[in-house]
Amino acid sequence: MKNIERISKRVGLFLSLLLVSSFSMMAQSIQVQGVVKDKSGEGIIGATVVVKGTANGTVTDINGNFILPSVQPDVLISVSFIGYITQEKNASSSMEFILAEDTKSLDEVVVVGYGTTSKTNISGAVSTVKTDELPKAAAASVGTMLRGRSSGMNITASSASPGASLNIAIRGGLSGQQPLIVIDGVPQLQTKTPSSGTAYSGADKDNALMNLNPDDIETINILKDASAASIYGSDASGGVILITTKRGKSAVPEISYSGSTAFQYIKDVPDFMNARDFMIEQNKVFDELGRGNEKKFTQEQIDSFVGNGTDWMKEVTRTGIVNEHNLSVNGGSEKTRYLFSTGLYDHKGVAKNNDMNRITGRINLDQDFGNNIKAGINTSFAQIKYHDVPLGDSRQDNSALIYSAMTFIPVVPVYDENGNYSDNYIRPNIYPNPVSLLEITDETISRDLFLSGYLEFKPIKDLTVRATGGTDMKDTQMDQYIPTTTPKGKNMNGQASKQNSKAQMNLINVVATYKKTFADKHDLSVMSGWEYKKTSWSGMGIVASNFPTDGSLMNNIGTSEQENPDISSSKGSNEMASYMGRINYSLLQRYILTLNLRVDGSSNFSQNHQWGYFPGASVAWRLNEESWLKNVGWLSNMKLRAGYGQTGNAGNLTGINTIFAVSRGTYAMDGGLVNGIGLSKIGNPNLKWEKLTDINVGLDFGFWRDRLSGTIDIYQRTREDVIVSKQLMSYQEINTIDYNSATQYQSQGIDLGIHSVNILSKDFEWSTDINLSYYRNRTTKRDPDFIPEPYQDYVEDWNNIYGYRTSGLVQDGESYTHLPSSTAGAILYDDLNSYKLDENGERMRDSEGRYIRVEGADGTLDAVDMVLLHNSTPIPFSVNNTFRWKNWDANIYLYGSLRGWKLNDVQYQSIYGVQDLTYGVNALSDVKNRWSYENPTGTLPGVAEANSGINPNSSDFFYEKAWYLRLDNVSLGYTFPNKLFGGYVKSARAYVAARNVYVFTPYNGMDPETGNGIGAYPNQSSIAFGLNFKF
Amino acid sequence: MKILKKIIIGLLAIVAMASCTLEREDYTEISPDNFPQSENDLKLAVNSLYYEFTTGTWNGEAIFGSDQNGYQVVSDMTTDCLWSCWGWGWDELHFQQWFSTISGTTQSQAYNAFAHYQFLSKARNTIRRIEESIAPESAKTLYAAEAHALRGWIGLYLYDMFGPVPVASDEVLDDPETFVYLPRLTDEEYDLMMETDLRAAIADLPVVASARGRMTQGAAMMILMKYYLIRSNFSGAEELARELQEMEGSVYSLQPDYANVFSKAGIGNNEIILQVPCNSSANWTTNYLTASVLPSDMPWTEKSQGWGGYVMPWNFYDSFEADDARRALIAASYTNNKGELMTSTNSTQLSYGALPLKYGKDPEMTGANSGIDVVVYRYSDVLLTLAECIVRNTGAVSTEAIQLVNRVRNRAGLAELSAEQVASTDAFMDALLIERGHEFWLEGLRRQDLIRFGKYVEYANQRIAEANASGKNYFTVDESHNRFWIPQTFIDESKSQIKQNSGY
């Protein structure tokens, strides 16, 4: 809050100075009233109107009208608006400006890495997302907002918890790397937030985009193919996301506020049994197991049980609330431009005690020194605080919050008669009471300071030399305390953990750009640069247990009585140096050529393999500029593109050296732990860069003055020299080594994006965006040592799911030789194939070393019986509809995947573990549909399955179709007429938005996107109310 | 243009600066240039070898874990002396219902067990590093001997479970990137390896270790003796047993109180020849055998937690003589924390069998973690083995042999062997096998004892017949079960150079 105060004070001071200066001139001034229109006579909203040479100015309202209250009569009034030619006129009391379209400047500027270019001159696969167009309510990270917004970029959340990590896969994610994120020309340090404790942990956190306030972002450019991304060389194998933050403009200060409040409600809660059903089913299971004598409940107890027992999910969850406030000021004079912003995002999760809070601040400053020198600074700060709850699928004493809430015995109340947490008395001291887990303290605070500055110098007219220095500092502190009120804490007498990790990236680069147009038809731009980057990290931590009291939590760790508390620390660094260059040439704005080269040197490789060369080349042909198409009225844009490029990847490699490492407490000599040192890695000095090669062909089109426009890209990406941890013979001391394998991966796909303005009239607008991606990732070549499984093809799709086929359940009286341990009620796995044997009875192999299988049962269930069951490669798809009717606006947004297969985890774990009912572990109501002698028509496996010796997750039994379409946003907004605020407010909008309203899917488990495992954080629907103001 | 020149020169200068070496640092790594050099380095290198013998975590693959990966647990669970009420994975072991093809608990257990053959390479490389180091000769001799003994220990367990395994030569170890598909050693080659390692260890190891848990001469002799027993080299075994017997009094003795050997107070007692030293503060150095047995509602120590699984089948329990002091450690019933008497009629666990709570109470036990050392080999085994070898080697029951057995019986508060039991070698051997069972339950010796006496499969089939009579559908087993099958993964990896054990 202090930040906000400071900024508002400064702004206030600035405003009053302005007022004073205008008062002094009041004597001779006039009031200028005017209107700004386009050629068709429509008023232009938001055009900048200034008195030339001063900061005195305003912006036009929704009808294009403006008022300048006090202007000297002889000055020039200048009106500008993006996409139009700026007009200047002598001031008079009533003015009319009709702006002409500027065809050249209509051309958007696109950031392409170490420079910008105009959209027409782009020849690679680059897409742009404007954050204004994204619904922001109840979304902390720009990552969640980008879901489905760009074809070819598939973003999925692995958990629905606040601030959870996102997987960003550009073009199928073939490289296995997350995209490089570059903010205002400086790459962000990529780190991973370690888990705060050893016993329990929350969901993985979003480290990529969480520290950016979405409100600060102007545009996002995505370099999808290597012909464009190769300028970032070895860092770019996962694609590049270039983020440009908002900057100050030479105008009167503009203050923007946006705020929203959202309420979140749990959306998917699986149907677990209530107390009575639980008791009935438990008794049945005892009978089915032939252990009827051990029943825990008499019929009388069941009949007399009052109520439904404890709904544990209800006990540990609540209505979530998200509050968000953003305030920014931007403005400047002709020489100085500034932007200050601050934001607060506070999220109380739907799980009790689970919070996330983010404070962000930003200062972007640009200053011109004379005509040739310019400098600027970008500073951003983010602090994110999390309070986590234990999550995950661990069982028994390690059970986490949601898992416990689903499975804890429903017949006991939260507290027993002594006021202590009730225990599962059927099997005491093992399963944690879900509510007791809320007493765990688990805090993470991460701070990020991102600083960059540049100095730009134009020694001659067309040459710009720009030096940039940047640093990104991240510091994360993680604290955890498990009190003695939880079973785990009780065993350890309390456990405290404090972990700290620091990381820093320092970067410097110098880039020279020469841009010139020769003879009005040759556009040439040449860039050349050098960069150096050093990344360093360090960390330390301590985990101790055995505390005299819970009272100090983890804040007095010295009071631990533990003999050997776990202490750790680490430190390291690596360096990279690079050269890069680019030539962009365009003839007649019709034929475009771009050439890139990046040379990277990394300390991760040995001297002779240190340098990698990453070229990129692309061409484009703007057909609509050809004379034979120029006069085709309905064709407004037609650009054919083709590109080739390479990026690199250092893999997940940790070095080329053979090293020994200390292992702590290897053995308890004399009862005390001693350390040991053993070989931990064998180095491979011959390691070299992985290479990704892209071929991309694309078409950009626009019809009817771009009322219908779109982009299609077809690509092939090949990943070679893949650095993998090669499995050496299992008898070797260290049986893995990093090496460049002969394995080749390949991705082929199509990205399609369509934008259509369906209706465009003065009062009503409706536009639709559709994005669709289709791809296949395959392994196309294998390492010579690789032996495929009998069911595996040599060329194999990445997302194949293999397993046994099943034919329902084994029925009473049936027995199968291939299922010697399966009795009635167990899953009937199919014995489909057998090994081909030679004359000696030995299994035969084919030329690839794979066992040959032949159709026909052989009386055993083994690897040859596994077959390709499904393929789960997603087909990301999204549809966005925006509407405007007079001052009203609305948005309906759907995203999802048109294909998917997923194990129904909740059902699988409930049914498979049905015997655990005897321990007092609750299960899904579905278990009532299990097979038993009493219920021989049951379709789900009975108690016999657990004895089959086969895990049903390696079969098709619990797999379900999991395509989905999420109705992610439905919002309605109203922009207030300016008159309402008497001109003091430039714009004001109020809106209501419903987020994650519904998921269309055939999948019966939890959320098809985030519902991974039985203890997954429940996904939520939200309703948000928000306000935006500009002064 | 002058300015441009300056800029270009400036740029070139930066470029020149940058083209020096790029460096990577990681302070948690130790370079082979610096290790191992000193005496302390050798000790650290050998310490890391001991990690192979820890008790591990519940989900680990530790040799002394109390789950299905634990050598001792598998060795007892597949016999008449140990069972569990936890259902399938355990019944699979107890009734020997394992298959080499379908995935199952025993499958992953066998995989983990066989995977320990890697340790033979690791120990061999460590021995070579020690020999090449510049440390003082005395240190090199000592630590190489420890490594030899540890290598022999794993060698024993591998042979015990699978028969001979493939062993890499130094040349193969020196070139890890070349794939050499090794067949299994022959029995003779394996004998040579075991002899070489363990004889070197016996020659150079101290009689008393510098710290409890480190290898000693006696431990190495014991390992070699066990190997000889499996190989039916009873004269070799007798020789070693006699050498160990000579150490009685000076190094080893028979403790007067059986229970004390496994108690907190008895940690480090001189009946124990080899133990896995424990420390309850670290998960991988904890004795879990108590928790595996202890019912969750049975009062034990203040912070103990029981998993309530393992039992001694009632048949075995009933075979004890009523006044056998060793039976006193096995609970046939208990009073739970609500004051109820739990017996085989109202407790699932007791309906399977009695509670073999061999290890005593550790007041510092928190959760499942007890700090009492896991006993591996002890002196009473030397006495009984010597008795057995004498009879096997001479074909007659000698007074010496009878006295040796009686010493062990007397210590358990039992009378001497009856005239009938010593009347013939067969009767004596039958009595001896029973005696060994009663003496060493939960110590993981039962499986090899039964195999050596030809009863392993026979007893299993008796259990199977009984279970089938009460509705199970288990298949009967044959002599091939005296060895586990080699997991298919390793056979495939070796391109079928590794041949499967017969019968699988």
Side-chain angles (χ1 to χ4, degrees), chain A residues 882-902:
Chain A
T882 50
F883 305 90
R884 188 185 64 77
W885 179 69
K886 291 188 170 165
N887 284 8
W888 294 89
D889 61 82
N891 175 272
I892 298 172
Y893 179 59
L894 281 134
Y895 79 84
S897 168
L898 301 183
R899 178 167 55 195
W901 284 89
K902 205 175 161 98

Side-chain angles (χ1 to χ4, degrees), chain B residues 246-266:
Chain B
E246 277 167 30
M247 294 160 98
E248 182 171 344
S250 61
V251 187
Y252 305 118
S253 79
L254 200 62
Q255 288 282 311
D257 177 13
Y258 181 79
N260 187 52
V261 177
F262 309 96
S263 70
K264 177 92 173 175

Side-chain angles (χ1 to χ4, degrees), chain A residues 64-82:
Chain A
N65 296 322
F66 68 90
I67 298 171
L68 286 170
S70 59
V71 176
Q72 283 176 290
D74 55 344
V75 296
L76 276 177
I77 304 290
S78 159
V79 173
S80 58
F81 190 64
I82 295 174

Side-chain angles (χ1 to χ4, degrees), chain B residues 9-62:
Chain B
I9 290 168
L11 276 176
L12 283 174
I14 298 170
V15 165
M17 251 161 48
S19 43
C20 9
T21 333
L22 297 165
E23 270 185 74
R24 181 181 165 277
E25 291 178 322
D26 191 330
Y27 289 89
T28 59
E29 297 174 351
I30 298 165
S31 155
D33 301 339
N34 311 322
F35 182 89
Q37 288 181 344
S38 66
E39 177 165 0
N40 194 46
D41 285 356
L42 302 191
K43 188 174 181 176
L44 287 162
V46 172
N47 283 352
S48 82
L49 293 182
Y50 278 95
Y51 185 67
E52 197 82 359
F53 301 90
T54 53
T55 59
T57 55
W58 186 241
N59 295 315
E61 59 275 326

